Amino acid sequence: MFGNDEKDYFLENLAIMITSGIDVSSAITSIKQETRSKKMLKVLGGIEAEIDSGSSLWMAMERSKLLPSHAIVLIRLGEESGNLTENLKLVVTQQQKDREFASRLQSAMIYPVIV
């Protein structure tokens, strides 16, 4: 549905902005201004609207279906424990590792077919 680069860009920038003291809603607004994908703009708009209406970040992200459930759990734990920026960075790292593993697995499965 969304490119992995778009999700990583969003999460990395959100973590950086929150670390620098910007509130989540303002950070999302700023990221929206830099986003070119219409699908991603729509999702970010929905997340922003939910946060502005009082929803937590993890709840808004869960409803957007932008990330898998294990990533949502990490974001929820980050919000509740005060480690949101660290957990956002962890989500990005984990997604990159998952993609690399899937790529290696696919390569390993193709090799026997060729031989």
Side-chain angles (χ1 to χ4, degrees):
M1 182 173 178
F2 300 100
N4 294 321
D5 291 339
E6 292 174 320
K7 290 184 212 178
D8 290 350
Y9 175 82
F10 167 63
L11 293 173
E12 288 171 348
N13 283 312
L14 184 61
I16 290 168
M17 289 182 187
I18 292 171
T19 301
S20 68
I22 298 173
D23 64 285
V24 175
S25 183
S26 298
I28 292 173
T29 300
S30 179
I31 294 168
K32 273 178 48 181
Q33 293 173 353
E34 300 295 321
T35 302
R36 295 187 180 166
S37 164
K38 289 181 182 180
K39 288 180 185 178
M40 191 65 165
L41 280 171
K42 184 177 178 182
V43 169
L44 292 178
I47 292 171
E48 181 183 34
E50 286 202 36
I51 289 172
D52 288 344
S53 68
S55 222
S56 61
L57 176 62
W58 74 267
M59 220 177 254
M61 302 258 306
E62 183 177 48
R63 289 189 187 121
S64 74
K65 307 229 185 286
L66 181 65
L67 299 170
S69 60
H70 67 275
I72 300 298
V73 170
L74 282 172
I75 292 170
R76 180 180 183 176
L77 291 171
E79 276 189 297
E80 292 173 356
S81 68
N83 295 323
L84 181 58
T85 56
E86 292 85 6
N87 284 22
L88 287 170
K89 291 174 186 176
L90 182 62
V91 168
V92 172
T93 302
Q94 190 59 46
Q95 286 185 325
Q96 290 170 343
K97 286 180 182 179
D98 290 347
R99 284 193 300 273
E100 184 178 323
F101 175 74
S103 174
R104 288 182 184 202
L105 182 63
Q106 183 180 14
S107 296
M109 294 180 79
I110 290 174
Y111 179 75
V113 173
I114 295 172
V115 173

